[in-house]
Structure formats: C-alpha cells, structure tokens
Amino acid sequence: MQSAADAADAAALLAAVPAGRRVALVDPRFVGHVHALRLGLTDPRFPAATVPGALTAQPAARGALLRALHRTAAAVGAGAPVVEPDADPAPEDRTVPGRIAVALEAEGTAVQRPALGSLVAAVPTDPEQEAAAEAGLASVDDEAVRLRNAVKAHDGFFTTYCISPYSRYIARWCARRNLTPNQVTTASLFTALVAAGAAATGTRGGYVAAGILLLVSFVLDCTDGQLARYSLQYSTMGAWLDATFDRAKEYAYYAGLAIGAVRGGDDVWALALGAMVLQACRHVVDFSFNEANHDAVANTSPTAALSDKLDNVGWTVWVRRMIVLPIGERWAMIAVLTALTTPRIVFYALLVGCSLAACYTTAGRLLRSLTRRASRTDRAAQALADLADSGHLAQAVAAVAPGLRGAFTAPAVALLGTLVMIGGALFLPYGSPLNIAAAAVYVVLSGLAVARPLKGALDWLVPPFFRAAEYVTILVLAARSDVPHAVPAAFGLVSAVAYHHYDTVYRIRGGTGAPPQWLVRTIGGHEGRTALVVVLAAVLTHTSGFTTALTALAVAVALVVLVESIRFWVSSSAPAVHDEGELA
C-alpha cells in the first residue's frame, strides 16, 4: 500500500505496478466497514468496481484506469469539472475514485457498483458528515452482515430454514482455515459418492447411512457457495465444479440406489433412468424459457404480473418454491425415503413429485408465453438454436428446406417428431425396420423445426421436445430389448449426453456461447444419436451386442464432451458465475 500526494502522483505510482496485478485507489478520508471495501475491491468477477471513496481495476481495465486518472488529474488541476456542467453528480462521484469511475464508464468500461445495504462507505467532507458516518459504522455489525450476505437470496424452504442457519457458520469456519470453495465442492461430491456406495450395498444399514451422507453432502453443497460469497473467492474452475457436480452427485446416487435394489432382488434401473430423464427435461424447460425471454423487448404479461404479486405474499412464496421441488426439498425427500423405505418407493416418489412440479412450472410458462407481448432477440433465437443441439443431419435438412411459417410451427413440428419417435419406440415391433423409418421421419422433422430462427412465442419448447425424444427413446429401447445390463448402459449414455446439454446451458449463461460446432457434429447432434441408437437396436436385436454398443457410445460421448468441457472451463476465457446473497 502506498500513499499519493495527488491524482498525478497516484497515476505515477499505478503505472509502476506490474501489468498483471489488480490495483486499487482509496480516498484517505474513507470511513466505512471493512466488508464494504472487500465487496468493492476484491471481487474477481468484474474488470472494475467501485464503492464510495474506493475504486479497483483488474489488469484488463488498467489501461483505461490510467487514462481516466490522467484526465482526472488534468481536470482537477485546471479546476474544471470531470462530469458535464449541467450534471448533478452523487457525493461519491466528487471524490477522485468517484470521478475516475465516471470517466471509466464514459469511455465504455463497465464499473460494478455492489449494493452495500446497511454497510457504511463514505468520504465525509465536514465534521457533521464524519460523525454521521462513524455512528453508522458503530451501529452495524460488519460480520453479521457478511454472514447474512453469504446466503443465497432466493433459496427453497428447506435450504433457507434447515440448512443455511448453520451452514453459513461452517462457511466462516472454512474461510478462517483458508479452505477454498472448490475444496468444499469436491468434499461434497466425495460425500455423495460415498452415499451412493452405501446405497449400493442394498442393506438397511447402508440405506440409512446413505440418507445421512446425502444430507451431509447437501450441507457441504450449500456451504461452498456461501464460502465463495463470504470470502469473495469466485473462480472459473469453481463455476464449472458448482454447475456440474450437483448433477453428477444426484445421478450417481440414483445409480447407487438401482445397484442396491438389484442386490435385493428388485430391478429398478428403468425407474432410475426415468427419474433422471424427467429431471433433465424439467431443467431444459427452465433453461429454454429463461433464455428465450430474459432479454425480450416489451416483455409484459398479465400472468407474470400476477406471479409478481404472489411473490409479495409471504406464504405463497414458500408454497410456490416447494411445489417446484428444488434441490433442497428433493434431496431431503430422497434421503428420508432412502433411510426408511426402499429404492423403488424413492423412485416412485421422485417420478410423481417431479411430474407434478413439471406440470406446474410448464403450465405457468405456457400461460406467460401466450399472454406475453414480446419480441424475441437474435441472441435469444441463437441460444434456443444452440440448446436444440442439432447435428449435421438436421442442419442439412434445415439448409434445403423452406422456412416453415406460422406462430407455433416450430414447436408443433418438433412435438410431432417427438411423438413419432417415442411412439415408434413404444408401439412398433422391437427391432422392426419401421423404427428406422420413424427415426428418419424424426430427423426430417427436426430439421424443419429449426429451419427458421426460433423467435415464436412458444419456440422455447423446441429444445425440451428434442431432449424428451432422445432420452425417452434410449430408455424405451433399452427397456424393451430384454438384454442384460442394457438399461444400465442406457443410463450411462443418457448421463454423458445430459452432461453435454448442461454444459451447453452453463456456457450460454456465462455469455461465452455454446460449445463449438465441431463438438456437436462429432457426437452426432440429438437426431444423429437418436437415429444411431434406433439402428443399433434393429441390427443387434435381443443380443448382448446392444449393451456393448450402448456402452461404447456412452464412453465415446463422455470422453469427447468431458475433454472439451474441461479445456474450456479451465481456460482464462471461461466466466465465473455465482449467485449473489441477500442485501444487508
């Protein structure tokens, strides 16, 4: 830390700092909480950030900072205002850090201004202001605010009232021992895998231990995010681990339950795969709807207005959050039922609960879409096209097919293709060439559905229809094959493909775009993989070769998508995205 006599001296000192380091400016008159400075100066997610009296810039914004500092020094030295003459700057923008923040924004550099809530950050200019700042400083417990801010703002009932009241203190304990969020995330995964192993024993003691360990894993899962917010330890690797390990834990636990059930004489692999398919399809409905509408123009809806009103009534907020069966409620239900009942009952409860949740959320999204007057952006259309995961077959059809017109054409065509594909897998003779014909029809309809930009009111349904077609077809064909271990192999294949689809979502959310086209084409796209599984089922009818083929396909897809995903998420271009906590 170095002191500067004036803005020009500060510019000289900053210029001498190595280019790869973050720098900060703090007004010597600053009065405020340590956590206010921490929020403003140590969050790694933003190129520049400011709180009243302080400013920080990461290496990417260092050049803009120095230019702004030189302009500020010249303006202050000349007695000229940094802001426009007719502007009425906020008090914090009259300080040197505040002037520089305004200058940075004027140049086009985004400057994050974290919400401080009850935290104090001020630059008093007279004794009265200083006394007021000191009084505010003394009246607010900095550490209590920091702990409260560590908790995610919008969690489920179970997480809010049964986990967060103590997990935040575990997060603080970890921070004081220099543990990182990534280490806690890894511990959560390891605990869940041990829970899956305990469930796989097929004994009552194993099931009880599995339920307890699953809850411990969920506590750690909450703790890692709270630790990241408490200590502002955000990272690209952490974003990837946090985004993908939840799915890995849940699906590994499903597999453990299925293995345990088989040891007890009850084959529930089809139920386990069905639960995974249902949960993945629920998620893609959420993702597609959000991507289609988050930047829509004139985004208004009476249904959305009613939902906002209900969110202001306390009990309706919790009821609505519990109805959708979020991860906290879902894992608590799984843990309790595992300890007290059987894997079959666990999966029945999951299928019923997730089905009701899916009906509720999808109905609400349909009503919003039909009553909303909005124009979809090109970015939203591209996101939906990326989520559709079309391979070279569908893209070839789309390239030669005329764009189908009509408000609901794309989802209608996608739904028709899905019904043809799933209906053929369910009702046509197993291994019949007619199944291959159905797959060909599905490929053509898939291409027609994406031949035009997905900007219609219900076009966000296209990716969920494609996910359902692929996942359910694999499930049905494996179950109907009557080949030993075909369904577990299908479970592995769907897991690998689902990882690719989740990875696509998280990349789009981070603003870096979907996986490269070469990856999508290499693994065939949704229509290519579906058609391939149909052909394998027809060629390898009722033979162990079908299990072998599904296993080989699962391994190949997993290797390709994991290698590319790891390469991307550990690269410097990958985003670090975490949810924020409550305002103080």
Side-chain angles (χ1 to χ4, degrees):
M1 180 181 296
Q2 300 184 60
S3 298
D6 51 29
D9 190 22
L13 290 173
L14 289 178
V17 177
R21 297 178 60 183
R22 172 200 290 266
V23 295
L25 293 172
V26 181
D27 193 298
R29 299 167 296 171
F30 176 86
V31 175
H33 287 100
V34 172
H35 192 53
L37 274 180
R38 187 182 291 113
L39 289 171
L41 302 183
T42 65
D43 194 325
R45 296 172 297 172
F46 311 107
T50 186
V51 294
L55 172 76
T56 185
Q58 298 225 53
R62 284 276 302 275
L65 171 63
L66 284 173
R67 291 191 298 272
L69 189 54
H70 284 302
R71 290 198 303 273
T72 301
V76 171
V82 176
V83 295
E84 294 297 323
D86 58 348
D88 184 15
E92 60 267 22
D93 291 340
R94 298 191 182 103
T95 66
V96 170
R99 290 171 182 265
I100 296 172
V102 173
L104 282 173
E105 291 173 322
E107 186 176 320
T109 300
V111 179
Q112 172 70 8
R113 300 174 186 268
L116 300 180
S118 59
L119 293 174
V120 174
V123 180
T125 56
D126 57 49
E128 184 178 348
Q129 291 181 3
E130 185 173 1
E134 293 288 353
L137 193 63
S139 66
V140 176
D141 186 341
D142 180 75
E143 181 60 20
V145 170
R146 189 181 182 190
L147 275 173
R148 186 163 67 249
N149 279 1
V151 178
K152 191 190 298 184
H154 303 291
D155 253 330
F157 181 88
F158 178 77
T159 304
T160 299
Y161 290 104
C162 299
I163 304 297
S164 292
Y166 58 88
S167 62
R168 70 184 74 180
Y169 294 101
I170 300 176
R172 182 172 66 181
W173 182 90
C174 293
R176 291 177 176 177
R177 285 153 183 80
N178 296 319
L179 296 176
T180 67
N182 292 352
Q183 291 171 330
V184 178
T185 302
T186 303
S188 175
L189 174 65
F190 177 78
T191 305
L193 294 178
V194 174
T201 63
T203 64
R204 177 52 51 195
Y207 290 147
V208 172
I212 294 172
L213 288 170
L214 188 64
L215 289 177
V216 172
S217 174
F218 182 65
V219 171
L220 293 174
D221 183 55
C222 295
T223 300
D224 64 358
Q226 292 167 358
L227 174 58
R229 288 183 285 271
Y230 180 86
S231 57
L232 298 177
Q233 295 184 73
Y234 304 113
S235 68
T236 55
M237 178 64 76
W240 175 58
L241 295 178
D242 187 61
T244 57
F245 276 14
D246 281 348
R247 304 286 79 77
K249 289 180 287 189
E250 190 165 4
Y251 297 160
Y253 192 80
Y254 291 176
L257 282 176
I259 293 171
V262 169
R263 288 188 170 181
D266 187 15
D267 189 345
V268 297
W269 271 108
L271 293 177
L273 180 51
M276 182 171 71
V277 168
L278 179 56
Q279 189 60 25
C281 289
R282 277 188 63 199
H283 283 152
V284 78
V285 167
D286 295 340
F287 298 147
S288 294
F289 179 81
N290 291 335
E291 288 302 324
N293 292 285
H294 87 281
D295 61 350
V297 180
N299 201 358
T300 60
S301 165
T303 307
L306 175 60
S307 178
D308 292 339
K309 288 182 180 179
L310 291 176
D311 278 340
N312 292 322
V313 181
W315 66 272
T316 65
V317 174
W318 295 118
V319 169
R320 294 171 71 211
R321 290 186 189 177
M322 293 174 69
I323 287 175
V324 301
L325 206 63
I327 187 171
E329 277 73 2
R330 192 166 67 251
W331 281 29
M333 179 183 74
I334 293 172
V336 171
L337 291 179
T338 298
L340 300 179
T341 64
T342 65
R344 181 171 290 273
I345 293 177
V346 172
F347 288 124
Y348 281 155
L350 268 174
L351 289 168
V352 171
C354 290
S355 295
L356 293 175
C359 290
Y360 170 77
T361 54
T362 304
R365 284 161 170 71
L366 286 170
L367 285 174
R368 290 191 183 200
S369 298
L370 293 172
T371 59
R372 175 174 284 155
R373 299 184 182 278
S375 299
R376 301 298 188 273
T377 64
D378 291 337
R379 179 204 172 280
Q382 183 59 52
L384 291 180
D386 292 333
L387 290 172
D389 192 34
S390 299
H392 57 282
L393 295 178
Q395 290 175 2
V397 173
V400 300
L404 297 175
R405 298 185 179 275
F408 308 122
T409 300
V413 172
L415 175 60
L416 178 60
T418 298
L419 294 176
V420 168
M421 191 67 265
I422 296 177
L426 278 170
F427 301 115
L428 290 176
Y430 183 82
S432 167
L434 291 176
N435 279 305
I436 298 178
V441 172
Y442 175 66
V443 169
V444 172
L445 292 176
S446 298
L448 293 176
V450 296
R452 290 174 59 84
L454 298 176
K455 292 188 175 183
L458 296 178
D459 284 1
W460 56 270
L461 286 168
V462 171
F465 285 148
F466 289 163
R467 294 298 81 73
E470 180 179 4
Y471 297 166
V472 175
T473 297
I474 295 172
L475 166 60
V476 171
L477 292 178
R480 292 188 65 191
S481 69
D482 293 328
V483 175
H485 311 302
V487 179
F491 188 97
L493 175 57
V494 173
S495 297
V497 174
Y499 176 85
H500 163 61
H501 290 144
Y502 280 111
D503 186 52
T504 300
V505 167
Y506 299 134
R507 295 196 198 198
I508 294 173
R509 276 185 169 182
T512 58
Q517 270 297 302
W518 70 261
L519 174 67
V520 176
R521 296 192 176 194
T522 298
I523 60 175
H526 71 93
E527 81 290 350
R529 291 187 300 270
T530 305
L532 177 59
V533 171
V534 171
V535 171
L536 291 173
V539 173
L540 304 172
T541 305
H542 302 305
T543 68
S544 60
F546 185 52
T547 298
T548 303
L550 288 180
T551 303
L553 183 58
V555 171
V557 171
L559 284 176
V560 173
V561 299
L562 279 173
V563 169
E564 162 56 20
S565 178
I566 293 171
R567 181 210 63 78
F568 170 80
W569 285 101
V570 301
S571 69
S572 59
S573 62
V577 180
H578 290 268
D579 293 319
E580 294 293 343
E582 287 275 9
L583 294 182

PDB file of all heavy atoms in Angstrom, residues 14 23 51 91 97 100 121 202 208 210 234 252 285 314 316 348 355 364 389 395 448 451 459 461 483 507 514 533 552:
ATOM      1  N   LEU A  14       0.637   4.023  -9.896  1.00  0.00           N
ATOM      2  CA  LEU A  14      -0.065   2.918 -10.541  1.00  0.00           C
ATOM      3  C   LEU A  14       0.674   2.429 -11.779  1.00  0.00           C
ATOM      4  O   LEU A  14       0.696   1.238 -12.081  1.00  0.00           O
ATOM      5  CB  LEU A  14      -1.485   3.341 -10.913  1.00  0.00           C
ATOM      6  CG  LEU A  14      -2.462   3.538  -9.751  1.00  0.00           C
ATOM      7  CD1 LEU A  14      -3.809   3.997 -10.271  1.00  0.00           C
ATOM      8  CD2 LEU A  14      -2.621   2.244  -8.966  1.00  0.00           C
ATOM      9  N   VAL A  23      -5.103  -3.327  -9.175  1.00  0.00           N
ATOM     10  CA  VAL A  23      -4.749  -2.125  -8.426  1.00  0.00           C
ATOM     11  C   VAL A  23      -6.017  -1.515  -7.833  1.00  0.00           C
ATOM     12  O   VAL A  23      -7.131  -1.789  -8.285  1.00  0.00           O
ATOM     13  CB  VAL A  23      -4.045  -1.082  -9.327  1.00  0.00           C
ATOM     14  CG1 VAL A  23      -2.714  -1.613  -9.808  1.00  0.00           C
ATOM     15  CG2 VAL A  23      -4.933  -0.696 -10.508  1.00  0.00           C
ATOM     16  N   VAL A  51     -16.902   1.518  -4.784  1.00  0.00           N
ATOM     17  CA  VAL A  51     -17.802   1.927  -3.711  1.00  0.00           C
ATOM     18  C   VAL A  51     -17.414   3.359  -3.379  1.00  0.00           C
ATOM     19  O   VAL A  51     -16.345   3.829  -3.795  1.00  0.00           O
ATOM     20  CB  VAL A  51     -17.673   1.011  -2.473  1.00  0.00           C
ATOM     21  CG1 VAL A  51     -18.135  -0.404  -2.778  1.00  0.00           C
ATOM     22  CG2 VAL A  51     -16.246   1.004  -1.932  1.00  0.00           C
ATOM     23  N   PRO A  91     -22.579  12.443  -4.325  1.00  0.00           N
ATOM     24  CA  PRO A  91     -21.425  12.818  -3.497  1.00  0.00           C
ATOM     25  C   PRO A  91     -20.213  11.930  -3.720  1.00  0.00           C
ATOM     26  O   PRO A  91     -19.078  12.404  -3.749  1.00  0.00           O
ATOM     27  CB  PRO A  91     -21.980  12.672  -2.070  1.00  0.00           C
ATOM     28  CG  PRO A  91     -23.448  12.890  -2.214  1.00  0.00           C
ATOM     29  CD  PRO A  91     -23.816  12.320  -3.542  1.00  0.00           C
ATOM     30  N   PRO A  97     -11.629   8.720  -6.633  1.00  0.00           N
ATOM     31  CA  PRO A  97     -12.089   7.426  -7.138  1.00  0.00           C
ATOM     32  C   PRO A  97     -13.437   7.526  -7.842  1.00  0.00           C
ATOM     33  O   PRO A  97     -13.665   6.863  -8.862  1.00  0.00           O
ATOM     34  CB  PRO A  97     -12.169   6.553  -5.882  1.00  0.00           C
ATOM     35  CG  PRO A  97     -11.194   7.163  -4.932  1.00  0.00           C
ATOM     36  CD  PRO A  97     -11.305   8.647  -5.184  1.00  0.00           C
ATOM     37  N   ILE A 100     -13.003   9.060 -11.280  1.00  0.00           N
ATOM     38  CA  ILE A 100     -12.384   8.112 -12.208  1.00  0.00           C
ATOM     39  C   ILE A 100     -13.399   7.070 -12.661  1.00  0.00           C
ATOM     40  O   ILE A 100     -13.428   6.659 -13.830  1.00  0.00           O
ATOM     41  CB  ILE A 100     -11.167   7.447 -11.550  1.00  0.00           C
ATOM     42  CG1 ILE A 100     -10.102   8.504 -11.256  1.00  0.00           C
ATOM     43  CG2 ILE A 100     -10.594   6.355 -12.432  1.00  0.00           C
ATOM     44  CD1 ILE A 100      -8.955   7.985 -10.433  1.00  0.00           C
ATOM     45  N   ALA A 121     -20.034   3.167   3.647  1.00  0.00           N
ATOM     46  CA  ALA A 121     -18.864   3.526   2.843  1.00  0.00           C
ATOM     47  C   ALA A 121     -19.053   4.981   2.458  1.00  0.00           C
ATOM     48  O   ALA A 121     -19.968   5.312   1.706  1.00  0.00           O
ATOM     49  CB  ALA A 121     -18.753   2.638   1.607  1.00  0.00           C
ATOM     50  N   GLY A 202     -27.280 -52.334  -0.668  1.00  0.00           N
ATOM     51  CA  GLY A 202     -28.581 -52.997  -0.649  1.00  0.00           C
ATOM     52  C   GLY A 202     -29.037 -53.426   0.729  1.00  0.00           C
ATOM     53  O   GLY A 202     -30.009 -54.184   0.853  1.00  0.00           O
ATOM     54  N   VAL A 208     -29.657 -46.352   5.433  1.00  0.00           N
ATOM     55  CA  VAL A 208     -29.685 -45.313   6.473  1.00  0.00           C
ATOM     56  C   VAL A 208     -28.437 -44.441   6.368  1.00  0.00           C
ATOM     57  O   VAL A 208     -28.516 -43.204   6.414  1.00  0.00           O
ATOM     58  CB  VAL A 208     -29.793 -45.954   7.873  1.00  0.00           C
ATOM     59  CG1 VAL A 208     -29.617 -44.888   8.960  1.00  0.00           C
ATOM     60  CG2 VAL A 208     -31.144 -46.654   8.043  1.00  0.00           C
ATOM     61  N   ALA A 210     -26.632 -43.999   3.749  1.00  0.00           N
ATOM     62  CA  ALA A 210     -26.710 -43.246   2.502  1.00  0.00           C
ATOM     63  C   ALA A 210     -27.571 -42.001   2.667  1.00  0.00           C
ATOM     64  O   ALA A 210     -27.208 -40.910   2.184  1.00  0.00           O
ATOM     65  CB  ALA A 210     -27.269 -44.126   1.392  1.00  0.00           C
ATOM     66  N   TYR A 234     -14.392 -16.233  -6.057  1.00  0.00           N
ATOM     67  CA  TYR A 234     -15.033 -16.711  -7.277  1.00  0.00           C
ATOM     68  C   TYR A 234     -13.946 -17.117  -8.277  1.00  0.00           C
ATOM     69  O   TYR A 234     -12.916 -16.457  -8.394  1.00  0.00           O
ATOM     70  CB  TYR A 234     -15.907 -15.626  -7.891  1.00  0.00           C
ATOM     71  CG  TYR A 234     -16.957 -15.083  -6.952  1.00  0.00           C
ATOM     72  CD1 TYR A 234     -16.900 -13.773  -6.494  1.00  0.00           C
ATOM     73  CD2 TYR A 234     -17.997 -15.878  -6.526  1.00  0.00           C
ATOM     74  CE1 TYR A 234     -17.864 -13.274  -5.639  1.00  0.00           C
ATOM     75  CE2 TYR A 234     -18.971 -15.393  -5.664  1.00  0.00           C
ATOM     76  CZ  TYR A 234     -18.904 -14.088  -5.224  1.00  0.00           C
ATOM     77  OH  TYR A 234     -19.858 -13.595  -4.381  1.00  0.00           O
ATOM     78  N   ALA A 252     -25.296 -40.134  -9.744  1.00  0.00           N
ATOM     79  CA  ALA A 252     -24.525 -41.216  -9.126  1.00  0.00           C
ATOM     80  C   ALA A 252     -25.325 -41.861  -8.004  1.00  0.00           C
ATOM     81  O   ALA A 252     -25.296 -43.091  -7.823  1.00  0.00           O
ATOM     82  CB  ALA A 252     -23.195 -40.677  -8.589  1.00  0.00           C
ATOM     83  N   VAL A 285     -36.560 -27.231 -19.791  1.00  0.00           N
ATOM     84  CA  VAL A 285     -37.719 -26.331 -19.900  1.00  0.00           C
ATOM     85  C   VAL A 285     -37.391 -25.002 -19.245  1.00  0.00           C
ATOM     86  O   VAL A 285     -37.636 -23.925 -19.807  1.00  0.00           O
ATOM     87  CB  VAL A 285     -38.970 -26.974 -19.265  1.00  0.00           C
ATOM     88  CG1 VAL A 285     -40.082 -25.936 -19.093  1.00  0.00           C
ATOM     89  CG2 VAL A 285     -39.481 -28.121 -20.126  1.00  0.00           C
ATOM     90  N   GLY A 314     -46.067 -13.580   1.757  1.00  0.00           N
ATOM     91  CA  GLY A 314     -45.087 -14.495   2.317  1.00  0.00           C
ATOM     92  C   GLY A 314     -45.370 -15.964   2.119  1.00  0.00           C
ATOM     93  O   GLY A 314     -44.537 -16.706   1.594  1.00  0.00           O
ATOM     94  N   THR A 316     -47.335 -17.599   0.125  1.00  0.00           N
ATOM     95  CA  THR A 316     -47.411 -18.091  -1.256  1.00  0.00           C
ATOM     96  C   THR A 316     -46.019 -18.262  -1.855  1.00  0.00           C
ATOM     97  O   THR A 316     -45.804 -19.133  -2.701  1.00  0.00           O
ATOM     98  CB  THR A 316     -48.223 -17.137  -2.147  1.00  0.00           C
ATOM     99  OG1 THR A 316     -47.546 -15.883  -2.267  1.00  0.00           O
ATOM    100  CG2 THR A 316     -49.608 -16.911  -1.582  1.00  0.00           C
ATOM    101  N   TYR A 348     -40.461 -43.944  -7.198  1.00  0.00           N
ATOM    102  CA  TYR A 348     -41.865 -43.613  -7.425  1.00  0.00           C
ATOM    103  C   TYR A 348     -42.162 -42.194  -6.924  1.00  0.00           C
ATOM    104  O   TYR A 348     -42.830 -41.401  -7.596  1.00  0.00           O
ATOM    105  CB  TYR A 348     -42.777 -44.609  -6.697  1.00  0.00           C
ATOM    106  CG  TYR A 348     -42.953 -45.926  -7.407  1.00  0.00           C
ATOM    107  CD1 TYR A 348     -43.291 -47.085  -6.693  1.00  0.00           C
ATOM    108  CD2 TYR A 348     -42.794 -46.036  -8.779  1.00  0.00           C
ATOM    109  CE1 TYR A 348     -43.461 -48.304  -7.333  1.00  0.00           C
ATOM    110  CE2 TYR A 348     -42.962 -47.255  -9.428  1.00  0.00           C
ATOM    111  CZ  TYR A 348     -43.287 -48.381  -8.706  1.00  0.00           C
ATOM    112  OH  TYR A 348     -43.461 -49.589  -9.342  1.00  0.00           O
ATOM    113  N   SER A 355     -42.992 -34.973 -11.687  1.00  0.00           N
ATOM    114  CA  SER A 355     -44.026 -34.817 -12.719  1.00  0.00           C
ATOM    115  C   SER A 355     -44.981 -33.692 -12.358  1.00  0.00           C
ATOM    116  O   SER A 355     -45.333 -32.862 -13.208  1.00  0.00           O
ATOM    117  CB  SER A 355     -44.794 -36.130 -12.896  1.00  0.00           C
ATOM    118  OG  SER A 355     -43.955 -37.143 -13.407  1.00  0.00           O
ATOM    119  N   GLY A 364     -47.328 -22.739 -16.136  1.00  0.00           N
ATOM    120  CA  GLY A 364     -47.103 -21.308 -15.905  1.00  0.00           C
ATOM    121  C   GLY A 364     -46.331 -20.660 -17.026  1.00  0.00           C
ATOM    122  O   GLY A 364     -46.645 -19.538 -17.456  1.00  0.00           O
ATOM    123  N   ASP A 389     -29.338 -28.361 -30.046  1.00  0.00           N
ATOM    124  CA  ASP A 389     -28.280 -29.348 -30.228  1.00  0.00           C
ATOM    125  C   ASP A 389     -28.453 -30.120 -31.533  1.00  0.00           C
ATOM    126  O   ASP A 389     -28.333 -31.347 -31.573  1.00  0.00           O
ATOM    127  CB  ASP A 389     -28.253 -30.314 -29.035  1.00  0.00           C
ATOM    128  CG  ASP A 389     -27.000 -31.182 -28.997  1.00  0.00           C
ATOM    129  OD1 ASP A 389     -25.935 -30.687 -29.399  1.00  0.00           O
ATOM    130  OD2 ASP A 389     -27.096 -32.349 -28.570  1.00  0.00           O
ATOM    131  N   GLN A 395     -29.238 -30.179 -39.581  1.00  0.00           N
ATOM    132  CA  GLN A 395     -28.762 -28.958 -40.233  1.00  0.00           C
ATOM    133  C   GLN A 395     -28.817 -29.083 -41.749  1.00  0.00           C
ATOM    134  O   GLN A 395     -29.111 -28.109 -42.453  1.00  0.00           O
ATOM    135  CB  GLN A 395     -27.342 -28.647 -39.774  1.00  0.00           C
ATOM    136  CG  GLN A 395     -27.254 -28.206 -38.313  1.00  0.00           C
ATOM    137  CD  GLN A 395     -25.826 -28.015 -37.836  1.00  0.00           C
ATOM    138  OE1 GLN A 395     -24.886 -28.179 -38.604  1.00  0.00           O
ATOM    139  NE2 GLN A 395     -25.657 -27.659 -36.563  1.00  0.00           N
ATOM    140  N   LEU A 448     -36.771 -29.442 -40.067  1.00  0.00           N
ATOM    141  CA  LEU A 448     -37.810 -28.465 -40.393  1.00  0.00           C
ATOM    142  C   LEU A 448     -38.096 -27.537 -39.214  1.00  0.00           C
ATOM    143  O   LEU A 448     -38.361 -26.342 -39.403  1.00  0.00           O
ATOM    144  CB  LEU A 448     -39.101 -29.192 -40.799  1.00  0.00           C
ATOM    145  CG  LEU A 448     -39.049 -29.980 -42.111  1.00  0.00           C
ATOM    146  CD1 LEU A 448     -40.364 -30.723 -42.314  1.00  0.00           C
ATOM    147  CD2 LEU A 448     -38.775 -29.050 -43.289  1.00  0.00           C
ATOM    148  N   ALA A 451     -35.482 -24.761 -39.144  1.00  0.00           N
ATOM    149  CA  ALA A 451     -35.141 -24.139 -40.426  1.00  0.00           C
ATOM    150  C   ALA A 451     -35.271 -22.624 -40.384  1.00  0.00           C
ATOM    151  O   ALA A 451     -34.648 -21.922 -41.177  1.00  0.00           O
ATOM    152  CB  ALA A 451     -36.030 -24.701 -41.541  1.00  0.00           C
ATOM    153  N   ASP A 459     -41.529 -21.071 -29.142  1.00  0.00           N
ATOM    154  CA  ASP A 459     -40.372 -21.759 -29.721  1.00  0.00           C
ATOM    155  C   ASP A 459     -39.388 -22.268 -28.669  1.00  0.00           C
ATOM    156  O   ASP A 459     -38.550 -23.125 -28.974  1.00  0.00           O
ATOM    157  CB  ASP A 459     -39.638 -20.840 -30.705  1.00  0.00           C
ATOM    158  CG  ASP A 459     -40.386 -20.712 -32.023  1.00  0.00           C
ATOM    159  OD1 ASP A 459     -41.469 -21.311 -32.154  1.00  0.00           O
ATOM    160  OD2 ASP A 459     -39.891 -20.000 -32.923  1.00  0.00           O
ATOM    161  N   LEU A 461     -40.084 -24.261 -26.547  1.00  0.00           N
ATOM    162  CA  LEU A 461     -40.427 -25.662 -26.311  1.00  0.00           C
ATOM    163  C   LEU A 461     -39.639 -26.619 -27.203  1.00  0.00           C
ATOM    164  O   LEU A 461     -39.620 -27.827 -26.944  1.00  0.00           O
ATOM    165  CB  LEU A 461     -41.924 -25.872 -26.557  1.00  0.00           C
ATOM    166  CG  LEU A 461     -42.877 -25.319 -25.489  1.00  0.00           C
ATOM    167  CD1 LEU A 461     -44.308 -25.347 -26.004  1.00  0.00           C
ATOM    168  CD2 LEU A 461     -42.746 -26.103 -24.200  1.00  0.00           C
ATOM    169  N   VAL A 483     -32.244 -57.342 -22.881  1.00  0.00           N
ATOM    170  CA  VAL A 483     -30.841 -57.736 -22.879  1.00  0.00           C
ATOM    171  C   VAL A 483     -30.250 -57.386 -21.516  1.00  0.00           C
ATOM    172  O   VAL A 483     -30.474 -56.273 -21.014  1.00  0.00           O
ATOM    173  CB  VAL A 483     -30.064 -57.010 -23.998  1.00  0.00           C
ATOM    174  CG1 VAL A 483     -28.586 -57.339 -23.921  1.00  0.00           C
ATOM    175  CG2 VAL A 483     -30.632 -57.396 -25.356  1.00  0.00           C
ATOM    176  N   ARG A 507     -22.475 -22.599 -20.404  1.00  0.00           N
ATOM    177  CA  ARG A 507     -21.678 -21.721 -21.265  1.00  0.00           C
ATOM    178  C   ARG A 507     -22.515 -20.547 -21.763  1.00  0.00           C
ATOM    179  O   ARG A 507     -22.044 -19.404 -21.780  1.00  0.00           O
ATOM    180  CB  ARG A 507     -21.122 -22.510 -22.446  1.00  0.00           C
ATOM    181  CG  ARG A 507     -20.130 -23.590 -22.067  1.00  0.00           C
ATOM    182  CD  ARG A 507     -19.362 -24.022 -23.297  1.00  0.00           C
ATOM    183  NE  ARG A 507     -18.704 -25.312 -23.121  1.00  0.00           N
ATOM    184  CZ  ARG A 507     -17.717 -25.746 -23.877  1.00  0.00           C
ATOM    185  NH1 ARG A 507     -17.271 -25.000 -24.872  1.00  0.00           N
ATOM    186  NH2 ARG A 507     -17.180 -26.924 -23.674  1.00  0.00           N
ATOM    187  N   ALA A 514     -22.305 -21.271 -26.987  1.00  0.00           N
ATOM    188  CA  ALA A 514     -22.414 -22.716 -26.879  1.00  0.00           C
ATOM    189  C   ALA A 514     -21.091 -23.402 -27.244  1.00  0.00           C
ATOM    190  O   ALA A 514     -20.167 -22.766 -27.747  1.00  0.00           O
ATOM    191  CB  ALA A 514     -23.535 -23.204 -27.790  1.00  0.00           C
ATOM    192  N   VAL A 533     -29.013 -45.012 -32.157  1.00  0.00           N
ATOM    193  CA  VAL A 533     -29.493 -45.980 -31.166  1.00  0.00           C
ATOM    194  C   VAL A 533     -30.615 -46.831 -31.758  1.00  0.00           C
ATOM    195  O   VAL A 533     -30.684 -48.051 -31.518  1.00  0.00           O
ATOM    196  CB  VAL A 533     -29.961 -45.258 -29.886  1.00  0.00           C
ATOM    197  CG1 VAL A 533     -30.653 -46.228 -28.935  1.00  0.00           C
ATOM    198  CG2 VAL A 533     -28.782 -44.601 -29.178  1.00  0.00           C
ATOM    199  N   ALA A 552     -20.212 -48.531 -25.436  1.00  0.00           N
ATOM    200  CA  ALA A 552     -19.157 -47.898 -26.236  1.00  0.00           C
ATOM    201  C   ALA A 552     -19.557 -46.487 -26.641  1.00  0.00           C
ATOM    202  O   ALA A 552     -18.735 -45.560 -26.604  1.00  0.00           O
ATOM    203  CB  ALA A 552     -18.871 -48.752 -27.474  1.00  0.00           C
TER     204      ALA A 552
END
